[in-house]
Amino acid sequence: KVRVNTVVAGMVQTEQAALHYGDADGIAAVGATVPLGRMATPDDVAAACLYLASDAAAYVSGAALLVHGGGERPAFLAASTAVRP
């Protein structure tokens, strides 16, 4: 009678995001690398948690719910398109 699930959060724009990502322009630039075009908000993560705690997820167990806007752009993509001397 125990369900175990996890929420896997990507980059989240919190009130302290500037400490890691820089000013608003830096946050926007990093967010633009996510397929959905922005970082998650705390409310996005909370909504996923509320879903897993709700009756709507009564038959969900052993799941990893990805809350990352499509993931981060892999670094190798920029390297593979870099201009070589």
Side-chain angles (χ1 to χ4, degrees):
K1 295 186 178 183
V2 175
R3 295 182 304 124
V4 178
N5 296 296
T6 185
V7 172
V8 181
M11 297 179 288
V12 180
Q13 185 176 344
T14 66
E15 63 277 353
Q16 294 190 347
L19 295 175
H20 188 72
Y21 302 112
D23 62 9
D25 290 337
I27 291 170
V30 171
T33 67
V34 177
L36 288 184
R38 65 175 179 85
M39 289 188 217
T41 65
D43 286 344
D44 292 323
V45 179
C49 295
L50 288 172
Y51 163 70
L52 289 174
S54 75
D55 289 340
Y59 199 67
V60 177
S61 187
L65 182 56
L66 305 178
V67 182
H68 60 27
E72 297 178 39
R73 187 170 192 261
F76 73 84
L77 290 178
S80 68
T81 59
V83 177
R84 307 260 186 241

